[in-house]
Amino acid sequence: MDKELQRIADEVEMLSGKLSALKQEIGKVIIGQEETVSQLLITFLAGGHALLEGVPGLAKTLMIRTLANAIDLKFKRIQFTPDLMPSDIIGTEVLEEDHTTGKKFFKFNKGPIFSNIILADEINRTPPKTQAALLEAMQEFEVTYGDKTYPLDKPFFILATQNPIEQSGTFVLPEAQQDRFLLYIKIGYPTQKDEEAILKATTSTFKKKLNKVISGDDIVRLQQLVREVSISDALISFVSDIIRATRPETTTNAYVKDWVDWGAGPRAGQAMILTAKANALLEGRLAVTLNDIKSVALPVLRHRVLVNFRAEAEGITSDKVASHLLNTIQIKGK
């Protein structure tokens, strides 16, 4: 192995140790939900944003706050409500006076979006105008107010939550905005063993203390290393075949033609490859495997494949469509 590869391998080993420590810190507070925690970390490493959906009481907010508390970065929580305005997120100009000269001037007061980790709590509770205020920040990593553009600090990570049950007074995220989220993560109920452990841990006086085990610079370097993870041409073709097969107008797959209205766009393929690379790096590897792709395919496609009304009536979800494609499409050359 040449010196450069050895250096990268040593760096990955060192940073992987910090990621393991991060998982352990999160595990002090969050019992079970290992897959969800891994998917959050994958999104973070890939430099994207995550949308979490789960019924009340599954520790969505606690999970994100715990993740933020174990990383040496700025964290802000924004509670989305029907009366929340875009200026409440990005900031606003206020009129101030220079006490020396007496001249008045406008000063931009930055909003909570100017942090490293943002918890957008119950994002579907706020109107589309306010939801759209996140779009530029999520995609361009900057905020424009008036004629000035303000860059956001890196790393920058938005974690949004939504409740799938209570729909009164909610505003469903438009498909275009959902596509901005790298992964759409669904949180399920805990196992009986985990639930008993949760009940025991949360009804006593003892509280776990979290340590900051990884820095912002470490996260930025990990995000750079993700893009250095190798992936074979065969696996890239496999990802392309999966994405193209979700589109009913071009696919030859009868299952997709029957149940899907709209397939995934090219951004889905980019997301699948990046998150597969992040999954490999999270496990300390510098090469993507087929299992890496399969492990991220569902949360990547969940919000990018839209099934038709007949599918909804029959209980056919985008997860079932993605699973069907993963089971039927083969890697070329095999």
Side-chain angles (χ1 to χ4, degrees), residues 50 52 59-66 68 74-80 112-113 115-123 134 156-162:
L52 281 80
K60 299 185 296 296
T61 302
L62 178 62
M63 192 179 300
I64 296 167
R65 186 180 292 277
T66 302
K74 292 183 292 183
F75 168 71
K76 288 289 176 65
R77 175 178 183 262
I78 305 172
Q79 182 64 53
F80 280 71
I113 197 73
S115 293
N116 298 108
I117 302 176
I118 309 292
L119 167 57
D121 217 355
E122 294 194 281
I123 191 172
L134 292 175
F156 178 69
F157 186 35
I158 288 181
L159 287 160
T161 68
Q162 64 180 17

PDB file of all heavy atoms in Angstrom, residues 50 52 59-66 68 74-80 112-113 115-123 134 156-162:
ATOM      1  N   ALA A  50     -32.156  15.209   6.895  1.00  0.00           N
ATOM      2  CA  ALA A  50     -33.030  14.057   7.128  1.00  0.00           C
ATOM      3  C   ALA A  50     -34.412  14.489   7.590  1.00  0.00           C
ATOM      4  O   ALA A  50     -34.551  15.466   8.328  1.00  0.00           O
ATOM      5  CB  ALA A  50     -32.409  13.114   8.161  1.00  0.00           C
ATOM      6  N   LEU A  52     -37.552  12.900   9.638  1.00  0.00           N
ATOM      7  CA  LEU A  52     -37.934  11.796  10.526  1.00  0.00           C
ATOM      8  C   LEU A  52     -39.431  11.797  10.742  1.00  0.00           C
ATOM      9  O   LEU A  52     -40.020  12.849  11.028  1.00  0.00           O
ATOM     10  CB  LEU A  52     -37.241  11.906  11.886  1.00  0.00           C
ATOM     11  CG  LEU A  52     -35.791  11.448  11.983  1.00  0.00           C
ATOM     12  CD1 LEU A  52     -34.863  12.522  11.461  1.00  0.00           C
ATOM     13  CD2 LEU A  52     -35.437  11.129  13.423  1.00  0.00           C
ATOM     14  N   ALA A  59     -39.248   9.458  20.827  1.00  0.00           N
ATOM     15  CA  ALA A  59     -37.968  10.122  21.114  1.00  0.00           C
ATOM     16  C   ALA A  59     -37.311  10.730  19.881  1.00  0.00           C
ATOM     17  O   ALA A  59     -36.086  10.782  19.790  1.00  0.00           O
ATOM     18  CB  ALA A  59     -37.004   9.154  21.796  1.00  0.00           C
ATOM     19  N   LYS A  60     -38.130  11.213  18.941  1.00  0.00           N
ATOM     20  CA  LYS A  60     -37.552  11.856  17.757  1.00  0.00           C
ATOM     21  C   LYS A  60     -36.749  13.094  18.159  1.00  0.00           C
ATOM     22  O   LYS A  60     -35.587  13.245  17.782  1.00  0.00           O
ATOM     23  CB  LYS A  60     -38.659  12.256  16.770  1.00  0.00           C
ATOM     24  CG  LYS A  60     -39.491  11.104  16.244  1.00  0.00           C
ATOM     25  CD  LYS A  60     -40.469  11.561  15.185  1.00  0.00           C
ATOM     26  CE  LYS A  60     -41.526  12.527  15.684  1.00  0.00           C
ATOM     27  NZ  LYS A  60     -42.421  11.945  16.690  1.00  0.00           N
ATOM     28  N   THR A  61     -37.392  13.973  18.921  1.00  0.00           N
ATOM     29  CA  THR A  61     -36.720  15.201  19.344  1.00  0.00           C
ATOM     30  C   THR A  61     -35.536  14.889  20.254  1.00  0.00           C
ATOM     31  O   THR A  61     -34.452  15.463  20.110  1.00  0.00           O
ATOM     32  CB  THR A  61     -37.711  16.127  20.067  1.00  0.00           C
ATOM     33  OG1 THR A  61     -38.795  16.420  19.187  1.00  0.00           O
ATOM     34  CG2 THR A  61     -37.046  17.422  20.499  1.00  0.00           C
ATOM     35  N   LEU A  62     -35.725  13.972  21.197  1.00  0.00           N
ATOM     36  CA  LEU A  62     -34.652  13.601  22.127  1.00  0.00           C
ATOM     37  C   LEU A  62     -33.459  13.022  21.383  1.00  0.00           C
ATOM     38  O   LEU A  62     -32.300  13.298  21.713  1.00  0.00           O
ATOM     39  CB  LEU A  62     -35.181  12.597  23.158  1.00  0.00           C
ATOM     40  CG  LEU A  62     -34.156  12.086  24.176  1.00  0.00           C
ATOM     41  CD1 LEU A  62     -33.628  13.231  25.027  1.00  0.00           C
ATOM     42  CD2 LEU A  62     -34.771  10.994  25.053  1.00  0.00           C
ATOM     43  N   MET A  63     -33.729  12.228  20.345  1.00  0.00           N
ATOM     44  CA  MET A  63     -32.654  11.603  19.576  1.00  0.00           C
ATOM     45  C   MET A  63     -31.788  12.672  18.903  1.00  0.00           C
ATOM     46  O   MET A  63     -30.550  12.595  18.925  1.00  0.00           O
ATOM     47  CB  MET A  63     -33.258  10.664  18.519  1.00  0.00           C
ATOM     48  CG  MET A  63     -32.264   9.743  17.854  1.00  0.00           C
ATOM     49  SD  MET A  63     -33.093   8.665  16.649  1.00  0.00           S
ATOM     50  CE  MET A  63     -34.263   7.797  17.688  1.00  0.00           C
ATOM     51  N   ILE A  64     -32.434  13.662  18.310  1.00  0.00           N
ATOM     52  CA  ILE A  64     -31.702  14.713  17.609  1.00  0.00           C
ATOM     53  C   ILE A  64     -30.947  15.598  18.601  1.00  0.00           C
ATOM     54  O   ILE A  64     -29.791  15.959  18.373  1.00  0.00           O
ATOM     55  CB  ILE A  64     -32.671  15.544  16.746  1.00  0.00           C
ATOM     56  CG1 ILE A  64     -33.280  14.656  15.659  1.00  0.00           C
ATOM     57  CG2 ILE A  64     -31.962  16.728  16.114  1.00  0.00           C
ATOM     58  CD1 ILE A  64     -34.468  15.269  14.950  1.00  0.00           C
ATOM     59  N   ARG A  65     -31.592  15.925  19.712  1.00  0.00           N
ATOM     60  CA  ARG A  65     -30.926  16.748  20.731  1.00  0.00           C
ATOM     61  C   ARG A  65     -29.719  16.006  21.308  1.00  0.00           C
ATOM     62  O   ARG A  65     -28.668  16.604  21.558  1.00  0.00           O
ATOM     63  CB  ARG A  65     -31.920  17.096  21.847  1.00  0.00           C
ATOM     64  CG  ARG A  65     -31.345  18.076  22.871  1.00  0.00           C
ATOM     65  CD  ARG A  65     -32.392  18.372  23.952  1.00  0.00           C
ATOM     66  NE  ARG A  65     -33.512  19.124  23.421  1.00  0.00           N
ATOM     67  CZ  ARG A  65     -33.502  20.436  23.264  1.00  0.00           C
ATOM     68  NH1 ARG A  65     -32.434  21.141  23.551  1.00  0.00           N
ATOM     69  NH2 ARG A  65     -34.568  21.055  22.801  1.00  0.00           N
ATOM     70  N   THR A  66     -29.853  14.706  21.499  1.00  0.00           N
ATOM     71  CA  THR A  66     -28.747  13.902  22.025  1.00  0.00           C
ATOM     72  C   THR A  66     -27.589  13.874  21.039  1.00  0.00           C
ATOM     73  O   THR A  66     -26.421  14.009  21.428  1.00  0.00           O
ATOM     74  CB  THR A  66     -29.228  12.468  22.320  1.00  0.00           C
ATOM     75  OG1 THR A  66     -30.314  12.509  23.249  1.00  0.00           O
ATOM     76  CG2 THR A  66     -28.105  11.620  22.907  1.00  0.00           C
ATOM     77  N   ALA A  68     -26.880  16.151  18.845  1.00  0.00           N
ATOM     78  CA  ALA A  68     -26.262  17.475  18.861  1.00  0.00           C
ATOM     79  C   ALA A  68     -25.408  17.681  20.105  1.00  0.00           C
ATOM     80  O   ALA A  68     -24.333  18.298  20.036  1.00  0.00           O
ATOM     81  CB  ALA A  68     -27.352  18.546  18.774  1.00  0.00           C
ATOM     82  N   LYS A  74     -22.769  24.119  17.135  1.00  0.00           N
ATOM     83  CA  LYS A  74     -23.918  24.926  17.562  1.00  0.00           C
ATOM     84  C   LYS A  74     -25.218  24.214  17.176  1.00  0.00           C
ATOM     85  O   LYS A  74     -25.346  23.700  16.065  1.00  0.00           O
ATOM     86  CB  LYS A  74     -23.870  26.304  16.911  1.00  0.00           C
ATOM     87  CG  LYS A  74     -22.738  27.201  17.395  1.00  0.00           C
ATOM     88  CD  LYS A  74     -22.794  28.582  16.748  1.00  0.00           C
ATOM     89  CE  LYS A  74     -22.481  28.510  15.267  1.00  0.00           C
ATOM     90  NZ  LYS A  74     -22.452  29.851  14.616  1.00  0.00           N
ATOM     91  N   PHE A  75     -26.175  24.224  18.092  1.00  0.00           N
ATOM     92  CA  PHE A  75     -27.454  23.539  17.880  1.00  0.00           C
ATOM     93  C   PHE A  75     -28.606  24.485  18.189  1.00  0.00           C
ATOM     94  O   PHE A  75     -28.572  25.213  19.176  1.00  0.00           O
ATOM     95  CB  PHE A  75     -27.528  22.302  18.783  1.00  0.00           C
ATOM     96  CG  PHE A  75     -28.901  21.685  18.863  1.00  0.00           C
ATOM     97  CD1 PHE A  75     -29.432  21.001  17.774  1.00  0.00           C
ATOM     98  CD2 PHE A  75     -29.664  21.784  20.024  1.00  0.00           C
ATOM     99  CE1 PHE A  75     -30.703  20.436  17.843  1.00  0.00           C
ATOM    100  CE2 PHE A  75     -30.931  21.216  20.096  1.00  0.00           C
ATOM    101  CZ  PHE A  75     -31.441  20.542  19.007  1.00  0.00           C
ATOM    102  N   LYS A  76     -29.618  24.479  17.319  1.00  0.00           N
ATOM    103  CA  LYS A  76     -30.837  25.269  17.565  1.00  0.00           C
ATOM    104  C   LYS A  76     -32.060  24.418  17.247  1.00  0.00           C
ATOM    105  O   LYS A  76     -32.054  23.646  16.278  1.00  0.00           O
ATOM    106  CB  LYS A  76     -30.863  26.524  16.681  1.00  0.00           C
ATOM    107  CG  LYS A  76     -29.858  27.599  17.103  1.00  0.00           C
ATOM    108  CD  LYS A  76     -30.262  28.267  18.393  1.00  0.00           C
ATOM    109  CE  LYS A  76     -29.212  29.287  18.864  1.00  0.00           C
ATOM    110  NZ  LYS A  76     -29.083  30.421  17.957  1.00  0.00           N
ATOM    111  N   ARG A  77     -33.077  24.596  18.070  1.00  0.00           N
ATOM    112  CA  ARG A  77     -34.358  23.912  17.839  1.00  0.00           C
ATOM    113  C   ARG A  77     -35.396  24.947  17.448  1.00  0.00           C
ATOM    114  O   ARG A  77     -35.555  25.961  18.130  1.00  0.00           O
ATOM    115  CB  ARG A  77     -34.802  23.188  19.106  1.00  0.00           C
ATOM    116  CG  ARG A  77     -36.176  22.535  19.024  1.00  0.00           C
ATOM    117  CD  ARG A  77     -36.469  21.815  20.338  1.00  0.00           C
ATOM    118  NE  ARG A  77     -37.734  21.113  20.305  1.00  0.00           N
ATOM    119  CZ  ARG A  77     -38.875  21.582  20.801  1.00  0.00           C
ATOM    120  NH1 ARG A  77     -38.900  22.796  21.343  1.00  0.00           N
ATOM    121  NH2 ARG A  77     -39.973  20.874  20.763  1.00  0.00           N
ATOM    122  N   ILE A  78     -36.091  24.699  16.335  1.00  0.00           N
ATOM    123  CA  ILE A  78     -37.153  25.591  15.878  1.00  0.00           C
ATOM    124  C   ILE A  78     -38.471  24.817  15.950  1.00  0.00           C
ATOM    125  O   ILE A  78     -38.620  23.793  15.281  1.00  0.00           O
ATOM    126  CB  ILE A  78     -36.918  26.072  14.431  1.00  0.00           C
ATOM    127  CG1 ILE A  78     -35.538  26.716  14.286  1.00  0.00           C
ATOM    128  CG2 ILE A  78     -38.002  27.059  14.017  1.00  0.00           C
ATOM    129  CD1 ILE A  78     -35.170  27.031  12.847  1.00  0.00           C
ATOM    130  N   GLN A  79     -39.379  25.299  16.781  1.00  0.00           N
ATOM    131  CA  GLN A  79     -40.688  24.663  16.889  1.00  0.00           C
ATOM    132  C   GLN A  79     -41.598  25.241  15.809  1.00  0.00           C
ATOM    133  O   GLN A  79     -41.962  26.425  15.862  1.00  0.00           O
ATOM    134  CB  GLN A  79     -41.302  24.889  18.274  1.00  0.00           C
ATOM    135  CG  GLN A  79     -42.644  24.206  18.464  1.00  0.00           C
ATOM    136  CD  GLN A  79     -42.535  22.691  18.378  1.00  0.00           C
ATOM    137  OE1 GLN A  79     -41.731  22.079  19.075  1.00  0.00           O
ATOM    138  NE2 GLN A  79     -43.343  22.080  17.532  1.00  0.00           N
ATOM    139  N   PHE A  80     -41.940  24.434  14.826  1.00  0.00           N
ATOM    140  CA  PHE A  80     -42.766  24.921  13.720  1.00  0.00           C
ATOM    141  C   PHE A  80     -44.228  24.958  14.145  1.00  0.00           C
ATOM    142  O   PHE A  80     -44.776  23.964  14.629  1.00  0.00           O
ATOM    143  CB  PHE A  80     -42.572  24.032  12.489  1.00  0.00           C
ATOM    144  CG  PHE A  80     -41.324  24.350  11.720  1.00  0.00           C
ATOM    145  CD1 PHE A  80     -40.078  24.042  12.251  1.00  0.00           C
ATOM    146  CD2 PHE A  80     -41.378  24.973  10.481  1.00  0.00           C
ATOM    147  CE1 PHE A  80     -38.922  24.352  11.565  1.00  0.00           C
ATOM    148  CE2 PHE A  80     -40.225  25.286   9.792  1.00  0.00           C
ATOM    149  CZ  PHE A  80     -38.993  24.979  10.332  1.00  0.00           C
ATOM    150  N   PRO A 112     -32.304  31.595  13.862  1.00  0.00           N
ATOM    151  CA  PRO A 112     -31.776  30.313  14.353  1.00  0.00           C
ATOM    152  C   PRO A 112     -31.222  29.400  13.260  1.00  0.00           C
ATOM    153  O   PRO A 112     -30.540  28.426  13.570  1.00  0.00           O
ATOM    154  CB  PRO A 112     -32.999  29.677  15.030  1.00  0.00           C
ATOM    155  CG  PRO A 112     -34.189  30.368  14.437  1.00  0.00           C
ATOM    156  CD  PRO A 112     -33.733  31.749  14.133  1.00  0.00           C
ATOM    157  N   ILE A 113     -31.506  29.719  11.967  1.00  0.00           N
ATOM    158  CA  ILE A 113     -30.970  28.895  10.883  1.00  0.00           C
ATOM    159  C   ILE A 113     -29.451  28.974  10.846  1.00  0.00           C
ATOM    160  O   ILE A 113     -28.782  28.089  10.298  1.00  0.00           O
ATOM    161  CB  ILE A 113     -31.570  29.344   9.521  1.00  0.00           C
ATOM    162  CG1 ILE A 113     -31.368  28.271   8.456  1.00  0.00           C
ATOM    163  CG2 ILE A 113     -30.970  30.650   9.070  1.00  0.00           C
ATOM    164  CD1 ILE A 113     -32.233  27.075   8.622  1.00  0.00           C
ATOM    165  N   SER A 115     -26.944  28.086  12.518  1.00  0.00           N
ATOM    166  CA  SER A 115     -26.322  27.141  13.444  1.00  0.00           C
ATOM    167  C   SER A 115     -25.826  25.960  12.621  1.00  0.00           C
ATOM    168  O   SER A 115     -26.052  25.902  11.410  1.00  0.00           O
ATOM    169  CB  SER A 115     -27.318  26.682  14.508  1.00  0.00           C
ATOM    170  OG  SER A 115     -27.675  27.747  15.355  1.00  0.00           O
ATOM    171  N   ASN A 116     -25.166  25.029  13.267  1.00  0.00           N
ATOM    172  CA  ASN A 116     -24.659  23.856  12.547  1.00  0.00           C
ATOM    173  C   ASN A 116     -25.692  22.738  12.452  1.00  0.00           C
ATOM    174  O   ASN A 116     -25.836  22.101  11.408  1.00  0.00           O
ATOM    175  CB  ASN A 116     -23.400  23.318  13.230  1.00  0.00           C
ATOM    176  CG  ASN A 116     -22.263  24.318  13.249  1.00  0.00           C
ATOM    177  OD1 ASN A 116     -21.941  24.857  14.296  1.00  0.00           O
ATOM    178  ND2 ASN A 116     -21.667  24.582  12.101  1.00  0.00           N
ATOM    179  N   ILE A 117     -26.394  22.499  13.543  1.00  0.00           N
ATOM    180  CA  ILE A 117     -27.422  21.450  13.577  1.00  0.00           C
ATOM    181  C   ILE A 117     -28.755  22.109  13.924  1.00  0.00           C
ATOM    182  O   ILE A 117     -28.886  22.771  14.956  1.00  0.00           O
ATOM    183  CB  ILE A 117     -27.079  20.356  14.609  1.00  0.00           C
ATOM    184  CG1 ILE A 117     -25.717  19.726  14.288  1.00  0.00           C
ATOM    185  CG2 ILE A 117     -28.158  19.280  14.637  1.00  0.00           C
ATOM    186  CD1 ILE A 117     -25.253  18.705  15.312  1.00  0.00           C
ATOM    187  N   ILE A 118     -29.731  21.935  13.031  1.00  0.00           N
ATOM    188  CA  ILE A 118     -31.056  22.542  13.213  1.00  0.00           C
ATOM    189  C   ILE A 118     -32.094  21.439  13.382  1.00  0.00           C
ATOM    190  O   ILE A 118     -32.200  20.543  12.544  1.00  0.00           O
ATOM    191  CB  ILE A 118     -31.456  23.402  11.995  1.00  0.00           C
ATOM    192  CG1 ILE A 118     -30.355  24.397  11.631  1.00  0.00           C
ATOM    193  CG2 ILE A 118     -32.781  24.105  12.249  1.00  0.00           C
ATOM    194  CD1 ILE A 118     -30.126  25.473  12.631  1.00  0.00           C
ATOM    195  N   LEU A 119     -32.845  21.517  14.463  1.00  0.00           N
ATOM    196  CA  LEU A 119     -33.999  20.633  14.637  1.00  0.00           C
ATOM    197  C   LEU A 119     -35.240  21.407  14.219  1.00  0.00           C
ATOM    198  O   LEU A 119     -35.646  22.362  14.884  1.00  0.00           O
ATOM    199  CB  LEU A 119     -34.110  20.168  16.087  1.00  0.00           C
ATOM    200  CG  LEU A 119     -35.437  19.495  16.482  1.00  0.00           C
ATOM    201  CD1 LEU A 119     -35.729  18.291  15.580  1.00  0.00           C
ATOM    202  CD2 LEU A 119     -35.414  19.080  17.945  1.00  0.00           C
ATOM    203  N   ALA A 120     -35.829  21.027  13.082  1.00  0.00           N
ATOM    204  CA  ALA A 120     -37.082  21.623  12.608  1.00  0.00           C
ATOM    205  C   ALA A 120     -38.220  20.741  13.110  1.00  0.00           C
ATOM    206  O   ALA A 120     -38.617  19.772  12.461  1.00  0.00           O
ATOM    207  CB  ALA A 120     -37.086  21.707  11.082  1.00  0.00           C
ATOM    208  N   ASP A 121     -38.707  21.063  14.304  1.00  0.00           N
ATOM    209  CA  ASP A 121     -39.662  20.189  14.989  1.00  0.00           C
ATOM    210  C   ASP A 121     -41.065  20.369  14.427  1.00  0.00           C
ATOM    211  O   ASP A 121     -41.583  21.491  14.383  1.00  0.00           O
ATOM    212  CB  ASP A 121     -39.641  20.498  16.482  1.00  0.00           C
ATOM    213  CG  ASP A 121     -39.798  19.245  17.336  1.00  0.00           C
ATOM    214  OD1 ASP A 121     -40.010  18.169  16.767  1.00  0.00           O
ATOM    215  OD2 ASP A 121     -39.694  19.347  18.570  1.00  0.00           O
ATOM    216  N   GLU A 122     -41.669  19.242  14.002  1.00  0.00           N
ATOM    217  CA  GLU A 122     -43.013  19.225  13.429  1.00  0.00           C
ATOM    218  C   GLU A 122     -43.121  20.197  12.256  1.00  0.00           C
ATOM    219  O   GLU A 122     -43.946  21.115  12.245  1.00  0.00           O
ATOM    220  CB  GLU A 122     -44.065  19.533  14.500  1.00  0.00           C
ATOM    221  CG  GLU A 122     -44.142  18.459  15.568  1.00  0.00           C
ATOM    222  CD  GLU A 122     -45.391  18.584  16.428  1.00  0.00           C
ATOM    223  OE1 GLU A 122     -45.396  19.429  17.328  1.00  0.00           O
ATOM    224  OE2 GLU A 122     -46.346  17.826  16.186  1.00  0.00           O
ATOM    225  N   ILE A 123     -42.285  19.944  11.252  1.00  0.00           N
ATOM    226  CA  ILE A 123     -42.189  20.840  10.100  1.00  0.00           C
ATOM    227  C   ILE A 123     -43.507  20.944   9.334  1.00  0.00           C
ATOM    228  O   ILE A 123     -43.766  21.946   8.677  1.00  0.00           O
ATOM    229  CB  ILE A 123     -41.050  20.367   9.162  1.00  0.00           C
ATOM    230  CG1 ILE A 123     -40.742  21.437   8.103  1.00  0.00           C
ATOM    231  CG2 ILE A 123     -41.365  19.017   8.526  1.00  0.00           C
ATOM    232  CD1 ILE A 123     -39.521  21.149   7.274  1.00  0.00           C
ATOM    233  N   LEU A 134     -36.771  27.302   4.139  1.00  0.00           N
ATOM    234  CA  LEU A 134     -35.660  26.374   4.369  1.00  0.00           C
ATOM    235  C   LEU A 134     -34.974  25.941   3.070  1.00  0.00           C
ATOM    236  O   LEU A 134     -33.844  25.452   3.099  1.00  0.00           O
ATOM    237  CB  LEU A 134     -36.161  25.110   5.091  1.00  0.00           C
ATOM    238  CG  LEU A 134     -36.646  25.255   6.529  1.00  0.00           C
ATOM    239  CD1 LEU A 134     -37.201  23.932   7.010  1.00  0.00           C
ATOM    240  CD2 LEU A 134     -35.520  25.707   7.436  1.00  0.00           C
ATOM    241  N   PHE A 156     -23.495  21.851   8.100  1.00  0.00           N
ATOM    242  CA  PHE A 156     -24.856  22.345   8.275  1.00  0.00           C
ATOM    243  C   PHE A 156     -25.812  21.183   8.041  1.00  0.00           C
ATOM    244  O   PHE A 156     -25.764  20.535   6.999  1.00  0.00           O
ATOM    245  CB  PHE A 156     -25.133  23.482   7.297  1.00  0.00           C
ATOM    246  CG  PHE A 156     -26.542  24.018   7.378  1.00  0.00           C
ATOM    247  CD1 PHE A 156     -26.961  24.732   8.484  1.00  0.00           C
ATOM    248  CD2 PHE A 156     -27.441  23.801   6.346  1.00  0.00           C
ATOM    249  CE1 PHE A 156     -28.256  25.235   8.561  1.00  0.00           C
ATOM    250  CE2 PHE A 156     -28.728  24.292   6.407  1.00  0.00           C
ATOM    251  CZ  PHE A 156     -29.134  25.015   7.526  1.00  0.00           C
ATOM    252  N   PHE A 157     -26.680  20.946   9.019  1.00  0.00           N
ATOM    253  CA  PHE A 157     -27.477  19.725   9.024  1.00  0.00           C
ATOM    254  C   PHE A 157     -28.868  20.038   9.560  1.00  0.00           C
ATOM    255  O   PHE A 157     -29.012  20.497  10.690  1.00  0.00           O
ATOM    256  CB  PHE A 157     -26.761  18.712   9.934  1.00  0.00           C
ATOM    257  CG  PHE A 157     -27.349  17.343   9.975  1.00  0.00           C
ATOM    258  CD1 PHE A 157     -27.930  16.757   8.867  1.00  0.00           C
ATOM    259  CD2 PHE A 157     -27.276  16.595  11.142  1.00  0.00           C
ATOM    260  CE1 PHE A 157     -28.445  15.471   8.922  1.00  0.00           C
ATOM    261  CE2 PHE A 157     -27.783  15.313  11.205  1.00  0.00           C
ATOM    262  CZ  PHE A 157     -28.366  14.751  10.097  1.00  0.00           C
ATOM    263  N   ILE A 158     -29.898  19.855   8.720  1.00  0.00           N
ATOM    264  CA  ILE A 158     -31.279  20.043   9.166  1.00  0.00           C
ATOM    265  C   ILE A 158     -31.927  18.684   9.396  1.00  0.00           C
ATOM    266  O   ILE A 158     -31.922  17.810   8.521  1.00  0.00           O
ATOM    267  CB  ILE A 158     -32.090  20.841   8.133  1.00  0.00           C
ATOM    268  CG1 ILE A 158     -31.651  22.310   8.129  1.00  0.00           C
ATOM    269  CG2 ILE A 158     -33.592  20.765   8.453  1.00  0.00           C
ATOM    270  CD1 ILE A 158     -32.407  23.185   7.159  1.00  0.00           C
ATOM    271  N   LEU A 159     -32.474  18.529  10.585  1.00  0.00           N
ATOM    272  CA  LEU A 159     -33.235  17.332  10.935  1.00  0.00           C
ATOM    273  C   LEU A 159     -34.662  17.767  11.205  1.00  0.00           C
ATOM    274  O   LEU A 159     -34.917  18.506  12.160  1.00  0.00           O
ATOM    275  CB  LEU A 159     -32.640  16.663  12.181  1.00  0.00           C
ATOM    276  CG  LEU A 159     -31.317  15.940  11.975  1.00  0.00           C
ATOM    277  CD1 LEU A 159     -30.594  15.743  13.286  1.00  0.00           C
ATOM    278  CD2 LEU A 159     -31.548  14.601  11.319  1.00  0.00           C
ATOM    279  N   ALA A 160     -35.572  17.354  10.347  1.00  0.00           N
ATOM    280  CA  ALA A 160     -36.972  17.753  10.487  1.00  0.00           C
ATOM    281  C   ALA A 160     -37.794  16.564  10.956  1.00  0.00           C
ATOM    282  O   ALA A 160     -37.540  15.419  10.561  1.00  0.00           O
ATOM    283  CB  ALA A 160     -37.506  18.264   9.151  1.00  0.00           C
ATOM    284  N   THR A 161     -38.761  16.823  11.819  1.00  0.00           N
ATOM    285  CA  THR A 161     -39.648  15.756  12.284  1.00  0.00           C
ATOM    286  C   THR A 161     -41.076  16.063  11.857  1.00  0.00           C
ATOM    287  O   THR A 161     -41.453  17.210  11.646  1.00  0.00           O
ATOM    288  CB  THR A 161     -39.618  15.617  13.824  1.00  0.00           C
ATOM    289  OG1 THR A 161     -40.215  16.787  14.418  1.00  0.00           O
ATOM    290  CG2 THR A 161     -38.192  15.472  14.330  1.00  0.00           C
ATOM    291  N   GLN A 162     -41.860  14.996  11.706  1.00  0.00           N
ATOM    292  CA  GLN A 162     -43.286  15.179  11.453  1.00  0.00           C
ATOM    293  C   GLN A 162     -44.054  13.998  12.029  1.00  0.00           C
ATOM    294  O   GLN A 162     -43.537  12.890  12.140  1.00  0.00           O
ATOM    295  CB  GLN A 162     -43.586  15.355   9.966  1.00  0.00           C
ATOM    296  CG  GLN A 162     -43.281  14.181   9.078  1.00  0.00           C
ATOM    297  CD  GLN A 162     -43.619  14.473   7.617  1.00  0.00           C
ATOM    298  OE1 GLN A 162     -43.790  15.609   7.202  1.00  0.00           O
ATOM    299  NE2 GLN A 162     -43.719  13.426   6.814  1.00  0.00           N
TER     300      GLN A 162
END
